[in-house]
Amino acid sequence: MIEELISNLGFGLSVAITPTNMFFLFVGAFVGMVVGLFPGFGPAAGIAVLVPMTFGLDPTTAIIMLAGIYYGSMYGGTITSILINTPGESATVASTLDGYPLAQKGRAGPALVMQSIASFIGGTIGVILICSLAPTLASFASSFGPSEYFLIILFGLLLLTTMMGDNKFNGIVSALIGFVISMVGVDVMSGVQRFTFGSPELIGGIYFVPIAIGLFGIGELLHCIYKGQHRKKVERARVTFRSKDFWPSKKDYFESRFTVFRGSIIGFVAGVLPGSGATIGSILGYSIEKKIAKDPEKFGKGEMRGLVAPEAANNAASSGAMVPLLSLGIPGSGATAVLLGAFMMWGLQPGPMLIENDPGFVWGLIASMYLGNMVLIFLSIAAIPLFVRFLDIPYVYVIPVVVLLCVIGTYTLHFSMVETWMLLIAGLLGFFMKLYGYSPAATVLALVLGSMAEENLLQSLIISDGSLSIFIDRPISFVLSMIVLMVIAMPMIIRLLRNKIHSRRVS
């Protein structure tokens, strides 16, 4: 097992360590950190905006760069969490709880260094676990038929829509919007045009890139303008290498030595589960660490363990999310949904056959994540003063540059004004979805998976002559069907239990 892991990782390193791949890995990691610095933008928006700019690159190089943006944003998002109490994206929300109090205590330097170390360890543990689990899961999934794949896709979508707290209905509606968009074009079985309204531009369906860029890029910017982000002037802690207390103390390292490993394992498990991801992983990492601590009263007041736990967790979760993506072809979040779309754009179909048919790509990508974490720990410590200066750029200057990139990137895809209008319409839709509590991530996920779900469902029904028994005939499909039913029933069961407990207390 260990020999195979080392062999696979060594093969991946031989693919990843080329001048071109290393250059674009560095670019992706750097851009990811910058993307993470701007509140509300997030990795999904960064990847979506830059997908068109990777055209002409080798597929492996392009995906290495886009993946670098994904996990690099986890590092960058924490800088704003610590310095100005504003998470760069949702996965770094838990880092504000103790990160900002540490900065207020004059310990911004140690906090930034410790988050970099925790992120590096979490990401590295995640890569090691990917090497161990992805081939096993892919081998198991090679026995899946259309019915199993449909149930897996349904499971991922249900988890994403039901993990929205009190807005489960909004999550389901968001996913249905994505399914409706995915139905535009030609029916996969009959060849009949659907919802094209006579437009030849829509015969091939609606491309995911303008929708993703619109929902995440334009939509997020409009929402930031609405919230007055462009008018805000924030005071932040000054961080320089000349500060005598820039580096963490021995006590910081000693007290966090087990925290970082616990957070990494919790985050990776959360990342592997479709629909969970880095946000849930970081919150779980923080919550569990606080519960098992002997002094939980210190958390929320500038406790280093309260920063290390979510940071290790969110980076391990970003690695864990690659396991179902590579081995099953199932993304678990908005960012990995955009990555899945990028895979398909280059003719790569993630799933059990990808590891077998294109091992150079898979292991090169996994090895690049290890190298990317090495690049990021250097960047995130050595360039802390530089990245802090990025926060001085007024948002009012950032907005037009990002809008211009979105429009140019979308138009140059197919030189289509129809897709450019789709971008703008999707941007307005994304703004209203954010405003009223709907989920752009669920929409993009359903858009990317919609055609796959439809194709596998129809194939299953054709094989079974229209009988739904195909979803319970085989042991694997039966277990998956039971899991899907449990996910559907769980909110109702929890509601009933709460009502019973409430009625007993009242009586």
PDB file of all heavy atoms in Angstrom, residues 153-188:
ATOM      1  N   ILE A 153     -25.353  11.029  -8.181  1.00  0.00           N
ATOM      2  CA  ILE A 153     -25.573  12.425  -8.547  1.00  0.00           C
ATOM      3  C   ILE A 153     -26.706  13.018  -7.717  1.00  0.00           C
ATOM      4  O   ILE A 153     -26.610  14.138  -7.199  1.00  0.00           O
ATOM      5  CB  ILE A 153     -25.895  12.542 -10.061  1.00  0.00           C
ATOM      6  CG1 ILE A 153     -24.669  12.130 -10.892  1.00  0.00           C
ATOM      7  CG2 ILE A 153     -26.333  13.957 -10.427  1.00  0.00           C
ATOM      8  CD1 ILE A 153     -24.967  11.969 -12.375  1.00  0.00           C
ATOM      9  N   LEU A 154     -27.788  12.251  -7.558  1.00  0.00           N
ATOM     10  CA  LEU A 154     -28.924  12.709  -6.770  1.00  0.00           C
ATOM     11  C   LEU A 154     -28.519  12.919  -5.307  1.00  0.00           C
ATOM     12  O   LEU A 154     -28.929  13.903  -4.666  1.00  0.00           O
ATOM     13  CB  LEU A 154     -30.052  11.679  -6.867  1.00  0.00           C
ATOM     14  CG  LEU A 154     -31.379  12.037  -6.175  1.00  0.00           C
ATOM     15  CD1 LEU A 154     -31.971  13.307  -6.762  1.00  0.00           C
ATOM     16  CD2 LEU A 154     -32.366  10.882  -6.313  1.00  0.00           C
ATOM     17  N   PHE A 155     -27.708  12.022  -4.791  1.00  0.00           N
ATOM     18  CA  PHE A 155     -27.230  12.123  -3.416  1.00  0.00           C
ATOM     19  C   PHE A 155     -26.435  13.414  -3.210  1.00  0.00           C
ATOM     20  O   PHE A 155     -26.646  14.155  -2.240  1.00  0.00           O
ATOM     21  CB  PHE A 155     -26.362  10.903  -3.083  1.00  0.00           C
ATOM     22  CG  PHE A 155     -25.683  10.960  -1.746  1.00  0.00           C
ATOM     23  CD1 PHE A 155     -26.415  10.930  -0.581  1.00  0.00           C
ATOM     24  CD2 PHE A 155     -24.297  11.033  -1.662  1.00  0.00           C
ATOM     25  CE1 PHE A 155     -25.796  10.971   0.658  1.00  0.00           C
ATOM     26  CE2 PHE A 155     -23.670  11.079  -0.428  1.00  0.00           C
ATOM     27  CZ  PHE A 155     -24.421  11.053   0.729  1.00  0.00           C
ATOM     28  N   GLY A 156     -25.524  13.706  -4.131  1.00  0.00           N
ATOM     29  CA  GLY A 156     -24.726  14.926  -4.033  1.00  0.00           C
ATOM     30  C   GLY A 156     -25.570  16.183  -4.066  1.00  0.00           C
ATOM     31  O   GLY A 156     -25.365  17.117  -3.287  1.00  0.00           O
ATOM     32  N   LEU A 157     -26.553  16.208  -4.952  1.00  0.00           N
ATOM     33  CA  LEU A 157     -27.430  17.373  -5.056  1.00  0.00           C
ATOM     34  C   LEU A 157     -28.291  17.539  -3.805  1.00  0.00           C
ATOM     35  O   LEU A 157     -28.500  18.659  -3.322  1.00  0.00           O
ATOM     36  CB  LEU A 157     -28.325  17.249  -6.291  1.00  0.00           C
ATOM     37  CG  LEU A 157     -27.634  17.497  -7.640  1.00  0.00           C
ATOM     38  CD1 LEU A 157     -28.525  17.040  -8.781  1.00  0.00           C
ATOM     39  CD2 LEU A 157     -27.298  18.965  -7.796  1.00  0.00           C
ATOM     40  N   LEU A 158     -28.785  16.433  -3.278  1.00  0.00           N
ATOM     41  CA  LEU A 158     -29.618  16.502  -2.073  1.00  0.00           C
ATOM     42  C   LEU A 158     -28.821  17.010  -0.877  1.00  0.00           C
ATOM     43  O   LEU A 158     -29.309  17.832  -0.101  1.00  0.00           O
ATOM     44  CB  LEU A 158     -30.210  15.124  -1.750  1.00  0.00           C
ATOM     45  CG  LEU A 158     -31.389  14.678  -2.610  1.00  0.00           C
ATOM     46  CD1 LEU A 158     -31.718  13.222  -2.331  1.00  0.00           C
ATOM     47  CD2 LEU A 158     -32.608  15.555  -2.348  1.00  0.00           C
ATOM     48  N   LEU A 159     -27.580  16.544  -0.744  1.00  0.00           N
ATOM     49  CA  LEU A 159     -26.754  17.005   0.365  1.00  0.00           C
ATOM     50  C   LEU A 159     -26.486  18.498   0.258  1.00  0.00           C
ATOM     51  O   LEU A 159     -26.551  19.229   1.242  1.00  0.00           O
ATOM     52  CB  LEU A 159     -25.423  16.245   0.397  1.00  0.00           C
ATOM     53  CG  LEU A 159     -25.427  14.875   1.061  1.00  0.00           C
ATOM     54  CD1 LEU A 159     -24.036  14.275   1.019  1.00  0.00           C
ATOM     55  CD2 LEU A 159     -25.900  14.963   2.505  1.00  0.00           C
ATOM     56  N   LEU A 160     -26.207  18.962  -0.958  1.00  0.00           N
ATOM     57  CA  LEU A 160     -25.916  20.378  -1.141  1.00  0.00           C
ATOM     58  C   LEU A 160     -27.124  21.233  -0.803  1.00  0.00           C
ATOM     59  O   LEU A 160     -27.018  22.263  -0.150  1.00  0.00           O
ATOM     60  CB  LEU A 160     -25.469  20.646  -2.581  1.00  0.00           C
ATOM     61  CG  LEU A 160     -24.999  22.074  -2.866  1.00  0.00           C
ATOM     62  CD1 LEU A 160     -23.720  22.379  -2.130  1.00  0.00           C
ATOM     63  CD2 LEU A 160     -24.809  22.308  -4.351  1.00  0.00           C
ATOM     64  N   THR A 161     -28.323  20.796  -1.225  1.00  0.00           N
ATOM     65  CA  THR A 161     -29.520  21.605  -1.015  1.00  0.00           C
ATOM     66  C   THR A 161     -30.058  21.497   0.404  1.00  0.00           C
ATOM     67  O   THR A 161     -30.711  22.412   0.890  1.00  0.00           O
ATOM     68  CB  THR A 161     -30.633  21.209  -2.006  1.00  0.00           C
ATOM     69  OG1 THR A 161     -30.880  19.794  -1.895  1.00  0.00           O
ATOM     70  CG2 THR A 161     -30.225  21.522  -3.425  1.00  0.00           C
ATOM     71  N   THR A 162     -29.774  20.390   1.085  1.00  0.00           N
ATOM     72  CA  THR A 162     -30.289  20.240   2.449  1.00  0.00           C
ATOM     73  C   THR A 162     -29.323  20.780   3.500  1.00  0.00           C
ATOM     74  O   THR A 162     -29.680  20.872   4.662  1.00  0.00           O
ATOM     75  CB  THR A 162     -30.582  18.760   2.772  1.00  0.00           C
ATOM     76  OG1 THR A 162     -29.399  17.984   2.554  1.00  0.00           O
ATOM     77  CG2 THR A 162     -31.703  18.239   1.902  1.00  0.00           C
ATOM     78  N   MET A 163     -28.106  21.135   3.094  1.00  0.00           N
ATOM     79  CA  MET A 163     -27.137  21.681   4.045  1.00  0.00           C
ATOM     80  C   MET A 163     -27.138  23.206   4.022  1.00  0.00           C
ATOM     81  O   MET A 163     -26.107  23.838   4.207  1.00  0.00           O
ATOM     82  CB  MET A 163     -25.730  21.153   3.745  1.00  0.00           C
ATOM     83  CG  MET A 163     -25.537  19.715   4.169  1.00  0.00           C
ATOM     84  SD  MET A 163     -23.855  19.155   3.963  1.00  0.00           S
ATOM     85  CE  MET A 163     -23.949  17.510   4.648  1.00  0.00           C
ATOM     86  N   MET A 164     -28.294  23.799   3.793  1.00  0.00           N
ATOM     87  CA  MET A 164     -28.402  25.254   3.739  1.00  0.00           C
ATOM     88  C   MET A 164     -29.154  25.787   4.949  1.00  0.00           C
ATOM     89  O   MET A 164     -29.827  26.813   4.887  1.00  0.00           O
ATOM     90  CB  MET A 164     -29.110  25.676   2.452  1.00  0.00           C
ATOM     91  CG  MET A 164     -28.334  25.363   1.197  1.00  0.00           C
ATOM     92  SD  MET A 164     -29.132  26.032  -0.259  1.00  0.00           S
ATOM     93  CE  MET A 164     -29.057  27.792   0.077  1.00  0.00           C
ATOM     94  N   GLY A 165     -29.059  25.067   6.065  1.00  0.00           N
ATOM     95  CA  GLY A 165     -29.709  25.541   7.281  1.00  0.00           C
ATOM     96  C   GLY A 165     -31.218  25.589   7.121  1.00  0.00           C
ATOM     97  O   GLY A 165     -31.856  24.607   6.756  1.00  0.00           O
ATOM     98  N   ASP A 166     -31.781  26.760   7.413  1.00  0.00           N
ATOM     99  CA  ASP A 166     -33.227  26.915   7.354  1.00  0.00           C
ATOM    100  C   ASP A 166     -33.728  27.177   5.938  1.00  0.00           C
ATOM    101  O   ASP A 166     -34.931  27.270   5.710  1.00  0.00           O
ATOM    102  CB  ASP A 166     -33.663  28.075   8.264  1.00  0.00           C
ATOM    103  CG  ASP A 166     -33.360  27.783   9.731  1.00  0.00           C
ATOM    104  OD1 ASP A 166     -33.397  26.591  10.098  1.00  0.00           O
ATOM    105  OD2 ASP A 166     -33.078  28.732  10.480  1.00  0.00           O
ATOM    106  N   ASN A 167     -32.825  27.313   4.984  1.00  0.00           N
ATOM    107  CA  ASN A 167     -33.214  27.648   3.614  1.00  0.00           C
ATOM    108  C   ASN A 167     -33.203  26.434   2.694  1.00  0.00           C
ATOM    109  O   ASN A 167     -32.731  26.509   1.560  1.00  0.00           O
ATOM    110  CB  ASN A 167     -32.284  28.735   3.045  1.00  0.00           C
ATOM    111  CG  ASN A 167     -32.462  30.069   3.728  1.00  0.00           C
ATOM    112  OD1 ASN A 167     -33.577  30.413   4.112  1.00  0.00           O
ATOM    113  ND2 ASN A 167     -31.389  30.805   3.889  1.00  0.00           N
ATOM    114  N   LYS A 168     -33.696  25.296   3.196  1.00  0.00           N
ATOM    115  CA  LYS A 168     -33.690  24.085   2.375  1.00  0.00           C
ATOM    116  C   LYS A 168     -34.550  24.258   1.123  1.00  0.00           C
ATOM    117  O   LYS A 168     -34.189  23.800   0.047  1.00  0.00           O
ATOM    118  CB  LYS A 168     -34.184  22.888   3.198  1.00  0.00           C
ATOM    119  CG  LYS A 168     -33.267  22.539   4.373  1.00  0.00           C
ATOM    120  CD  LYS A 168     -33.802  21.376   5.154  1.00  0.00           C
ATOM    121  CE  LYS A 168     -32.893  21.038   6.329  1.00  0.00           C
ATOM    122  NZ  LYS A 168     -32.798  22.110   7.317  1.00  0.00           N
ATOM    123  N   PHE A 169     -35.701  24.893   1.273  1.00  0.00           N
ATOM    124  CA  PHE A 169     -36.571  25.127   0.116  1.00  0.00           C
ATOM    125  C   PHE A 169     -35.839  25.970  -0.933  1.00  0.00           C
ATOM    126  O   PHE A 169     -35.900  25.676  -2.126  1.00  0.00           O
ATOM    127  CB  PHE A 169     -37.856  25.835   0.560  1.00  0.00           C
ATOM    128  CG  PHE A 169     -38.751  26.221  -0.581  1.00  0.00           C
ATOM    129  CD1 PHE A 169     -39.544  25.274  -1.221  1.00  0.00           C
ATOM    130  CD2 PHE A 169     -38.785  27.539  -1.041  1.00  0.00           C
ATOM    131  CE1 PHE A 169     -40.353  25.628  -2.290  1.00  0.00           C
ATOM    132  CE2 PHE A 169     -39.590  27.897  -2.108  1.00  0.00           C
ATOM    133  CZ  PHE A 169     -40.388  26.943  -2.721  1.00  0.00           C
ATOM    134  N   ASN A 170     -35.142  27.009  -0.482  1.00  0.00           N
ATOM    135  CA  ASN A 170     -34.391  27.848  -1.409  1.00  0.00           C
ATOM    136  C   ASN A 170     -33.298  27.050  -2.122  1.00  0.00           C
ATOM    137  O   ASN A 170     -33.016  27.270  -3.298  1.00  0.00           O
ATOM    138  CB  ASN A 170     -33.761  29.023  -0.663  1.00  0.00           C
ATOM    139  CG  ASN A 170     -34.785  30.043  -0.218  1.00  0.00           C
ATOM    140  OD1 ASN A 170     -35.986  29.829  -0.385  1.00  0.00           O
ATOM    141  ND2 ASN A 170     -34.338  31.139   0.350  1.00  0.00           N
ATOM    142  N   GLY A 171     -32.663  26.129  -1.380  1.00  0.00           N
ATOM    143  CA  GLY A 171     -31.632  25.305  -1.993  1.00  0.00           C
ATOM    144  C   GLY A 171     -32.185  24.408  -3.081  1.00  0.00           C
ATOM    145  O   GLY A 171     -31.585  24.251  -4.145  1.00  0.00           O
ATOM    146  N   ILE A 172     -33.362  23.822  -2.838  1.00  0.00           N
ATOM    147  CA  ILE A 172     -33.996  22.953  -3.830  1.00  0.00           C
ATOM    148  C   ILE A 172     -34.402  23.758  -5.064  1.00  0.00           C
ATOM    149  O   ILE A 172     -34.187  23.338  -6.203  1.00  0.00           O
ATOM    150  CB  ILE A 172     -35.212  22.238  -3.216  1.00  0.00           C
ATOM    151  CG1 ILE A 172     -34.741  21.259  -2.133  1.00  0.00           C
ATOM    152  CG2 ILE A 172     -36.012  21.498  -4.279  1.00  0.00           C
ATOM    153  CD1 ILE A 172     -35.849  20.676  -1.290  1.00  0.00           C
ATOM    154  N   VAL A 173     -34.975  24.951  -4.841  1.00  0.00           N
ATOM    155  CA  VAL A 173     -35.359  25.816  -5.963  1.00  0.00           C
ATOM    156  C   VAL A 173     -34.128  26.211  -6.779  1.00  0.00           C
ATOM    157  O   VAL A 173     -34.161  26.213  -8.018  1.00  0.00           O
ATOM    158  CB  VAL A 173     -36.092  27.074  -5.453  1.00  0.00           C
ATOM    159  CG1 VAL A 173     -36.295  28.084  -6.583  1.00  0.00           C
ATOM    160  CG2 VAL A 173     -37.439  26.692  -4.846  1.00  0.00           C
ATOM    161  N   SER A 174     -33.022  26.510  -6.091  1.00  0.00           N
ATOM    162  CA  SER A 174     -31.779  26.873  -6.779  1.00  0.00           C
ATOM    163  C   SER A 174     -31.297  25.742  -7.681  1.00  0.00           C
ATOM    164  O   SER A 174     -30.877  25.977  -8.824  1.00  0.00           O
ATOM    165  CB  SER A 174     -30.693  27.215  -5.750  1.00  0.00           C
ATOM    166  OG  SER A 174     -31.101  28.256  -4.905  1.00  0.00           O
ATOM    167  N   ALA A 175     -31.363  24.508  -7.160  1.00  0.00           N
ATOM    168  CA  ALA A 175     -30.953  23.353  -7.960  1.00  0.00           C
ATOM    169  C   ALA A 175     -31.887  23.153  -9.150  1.00  0.00           C
ATOM    170  O   ALA A 175     -31.440  22.826 -10.272  1.00  0.00           O
ATOM    171  CB  ALA A 175     -30.930  22.099  -7.097  1.00  0.00           C
ATOM    172  N   LEU A 176     -33.196  23.363  -8.962  1.00  0.00           N
ATOM    173  CA  LEU A 176     -34.155  23.210 -10.054  1.00  0.00           C
ATOM    174  C   LEU A 176     -33.897  24.225 -11.166  1.00  0.00           C
ATOM    175  O   LEU A 176     -34.078  23.920 -12.352  1.00  0.00           O
ATOM    176  CB  LEU A 176     -35.586  23.349  -9.532  1.00  0.00           C
ATOM    177  CG  LEU A 176     -36.089  22.195  -8.651  1.00  0.00           C
ATOM    178  CD1 LEU A 176     -37.475  22.514  -8.096  1.00  0.00           C
ATOM    179  CD2 LEU A 176     -36.128  20.888  -9.449  1.00  0.00           C
ATOM    180  N   ILE A 177     -33.466  25.439 -10.802  1.00  0.00           N
ATOM    181  CA  ILE A 177     -33.123  26.438 -11.819  1.00  0.00           C
ATOM    182  C   ILE A 177     -31.985  25.905 -12.694  1.00  0.00           C
ATOM    183  O   ILE A 177     -32.002  26.028 -13.921  1.00  0.00           O
ATOM    184  CB  ILE A 177     -32.724  27.775 -11.154  1.00  0.00           C
ATOM    185  CG1 ILE A 177     -33.937  28.419 -10.480  1.00  0.00           C
ATOM    186  CG2 ILE A 177     -32.122  28.740 -12.179  1.00  0.00           C
ATOM    187  CD1 ILE A 177     -33.595  29.634  -9.624  1.00  0.00           C
ATOM    188  N   GLY A 178     -30.981  25.309 -12.041  1.00  0.00           N
ATOM    189  CA  GLY A 178     -29.868  24.728 -12.804  1.00  0.00           C
ATOM    190  C   GLY A 178     -30.313  23.606 -13.718  1.00  0.00           C
ATOM    191  O   GLY A 178     -29.858  23.499 -14.863  1.00  0.00           O
ATOM    192  N   PHE A 179     -31.235  22.751 -13.227  1.00  0.00           N
ATOM    193  CA  PHE A 179     -31.748  21.664 -14.060  1.00  0.00           C
ATOM    194  C   PHE A 179     -32.501  22.200 -15.277  1.00  0.00           C
ATOM    195  O   PHE A 179     -32.366  21.675 -16.381  1.00  0.00           O
ATOM    196  CB  PHE A 179     -32.667  20.754 -13.243  1.00  0.00           C
ATOM    197  CG  PHE A 179     -31.952  19.669 -12.507  1.00  0.00           C
ATOM    198  CD1 PHE A 179     -32.041  19.561 -11.127  1.00  0.00           C
ATOM    199  CD2 PHE A 179     -31.179  18.751 -13.191  1.00  0.00           C
ATOM    200  CE1 PHE A 179     -31.378  18.564 -10.445  1.00  0.00           C
ATOM    201  CE2 PHE A 179     -30.507  17.736 -12.521  1.00  0.00           C
ATOM    202  CZ  PHE A 179     -30.602  17.649 -11.141  1.00  0.00           C
ATOM    203  N   VAL A 180     -33.298  23.258 -15.076  1.00  0.00           N
ATOM    204  CA  VAL A 180     -34.049  23.851 -16.185  1.00  0.00           C
ATOM    205  C   VAL A 180     -33.095  24.379 -17.250  1.00  0.00           C
ATOM    206  O   VAL A 180     -33.289  24.153 -18.455  1.00  0.00           O
ATOM    207  CB  VAL A 180     -34.974  24.981 -15.671  1.00  0.00           C
ATOM    208  CG1 VAL A 180     -35.555  25.772 -16.847  1.00  0.00           C
ATOM    209  CG2 VAL A 180     -36.098  24.402 -14.823  1.00  0.00           C
ATOM    210  N   ILE A 181     -32.036  25.068 -16.821  1.00  0.00           N
ATOM    211  CA  ILE A 181     -31.055  25.598 -17.777  1.00  0.00           C
ATOM    212  C   ILE A 181     -30.373  24.460 -18.523  1.00  0.00           C
ATOM    213  O   ILE A 181     -30.113  24.541 -19.732  1.00  0.00           O
ATOM    214  CB  ILE A 181     -30.014  26.474 -17.045  1.00  0.00           C
ATOM    215  CG1 ILE A 181     -30.693  27.688 -16.407  1.00  0.00           C
ATOM    216  CG2 ILE A 181     -28.923  26.940 -18.014  1.00  0.00           C
ATOM    217  CD1 ILE A 181     -29.774  28.501 -15.504  1.00  0.00           C
ATOM    218  N   SER A 182     -30.076  23.360 -17.826  1.00  0.00           N
ATOM    219  CA  SER A 182     -29.383  22.229 -18.467  1.00  0.00           C
ATOM    220  C   SER A 182     -30.249  21.523 -19.505  1.00  0.00           C
ATOM    221  O   SER A 182     -29.724  20.789 -20.351  1.00  0.00           O
ATOM    222  CB  SER A 182     -28.934  21.224 -17.400  1.00  0.00           C
ATOM    223  OG  SER A 182     -30.035  20.491 -16.881  1.00  0.00           O
ATOM    224  N   MET A 183     -31.565  21.721 -19.472  1.00  0.00           N
ATOM    225  CA  MET A 183     -32.459  21.051 -20.423  1.00  0.00           C
ATOM    226  C   MET A 183     -32.529  21.748 -21.772  1.00  0.00           C
ATOM    227  O   MET A 183     -33.046  21.192 -22.737  1.00  0.00           O
ATOM    228  CB  MET A 183     -33.863  20.953 -19.819  1.00  0.00           C
ATOM    229  CG  MET A 183     -33.962  20.010 -18.630  1.00  0.00           C
ATOM    230  SD  MET A 183     -35.626  19.975 -17.926  1.00  0.00           S
ATOM    231  CE  MET A 183     -36.531  19.168 -19.244  1.00  0.00           C
ATOM    232  N   VAL A 184     -32.012  22.979 -21.845  1.00  0.00           N
ATOM    233  CA  VAL A 184     -32.025  23.705 -23.115  1.00  0.00           C
ATOM    234  C   VAL A 184     -31.082  23.019 -24.094  1.00  0.00           C
ATOM    235  O   VAL A 184     -29.964  22.644 -23.747  1.00  0.00           O
ATOM    236  CB  VAL A 184     -31.610  25.175 -22.908  1.00  0.00           C
ATOM    237  CG1 VAL A 184     -31.514  25.897 -24.247  1.00  0.00           C
ATOM    238  CG2 VAL A 184     -32.583  25.883 -21.988  1.00  0.00           C
ATOM    239  N   GLY A 185     -31.549  22.825 -25.328  1.00  0.00           N
ATOM    240  CA  GLY A 185     -30.721  22.192 -26.354  1.00  0.00           C
ATOM    241  C   GLY A 185     -31.402  20.990 -26.955  1.00  0.00           C
ATOM    242  O   GLY A 185     -32.632  20.958 -27.104  1.00  0.00           O
ATOM    243  N   VAL A 186     -30.627  19.985 -27.281  1.00  0.00           N
ATOM    244  CA  VAL A 186     -31.140  18.782 -27.944  1.00  0.00           C
ATOM    245  C   VAL A 186     -31.285  17.665 -26.931  1.00  0.00           C
ATOM    246  O   VAL A 186     -30.389  17.420 -26.120  1.00  0.00           O
ATOM    247  CB  VAL A 186     -30.200  18.336 -29.082  1.00  0.00           C
ATOM    248  CG1 VAL A 186     -30.690  17.047 -29.731  1.00  0.00           C
ATOM    249  CG2 VAL A 186     -30.093  19.435 -30.135  1.00  0.00           C
ATOM    250  N   ASP A 187     -32.428  16.976 -26.944  1.00  0.00           N
ATOM    251  CA  ASP A 187     -32.671  15.841 -26.055  1.00  0.00           C
ATOM    252  C   ASP A 187     -31.622  14.759 -26.305  1.00  0.00           C
ATOM    253  O   ASP A 187     -31.360  14.388 -27.449  1.00  0.00           O
ATOM    254  CB  ASP A 187     -34.070  15.275 -26.312  1.00  0.00           C
ATOM    255  CG  ASP A 187     -34.421  14.169 -25.340  1.00  0.00           C
ATOM    256  OD1 ASP A 187     -33.925  13.045 -25.528  1.00  0.00           O
ATOM    257  OD2 ASP A 187     -35.185  14.430 -24.405  1.00  0.00           O
ATOM    258  N   VAL A 188     -31.008  14.260 -25.223  1.00  0.00           N
ATOM    259  CA  VAL A 188     -29.895  13.319 -25.361  1.00  0.00           C
ATOM    260  C   VAL A 188     -30.307  11.995 -25.983  1.00  0.00           C
ATOM    261  O   VAL A 188     -29.470  11.281 -26.549  1.00  0.00           O
ATOM    262  CB  VAL A 188     -29.233  13.060 -23.985  1.00  0.00           C
ATOM    263  CG1 VAL A 188     -28.520  14.277 -23.493  1.00  0.00           C
ATOM    264  CG2 VAL A 188     -30.246  12.581 -22.964  1.00  0.00           C
TER     265      VAL A 188
END
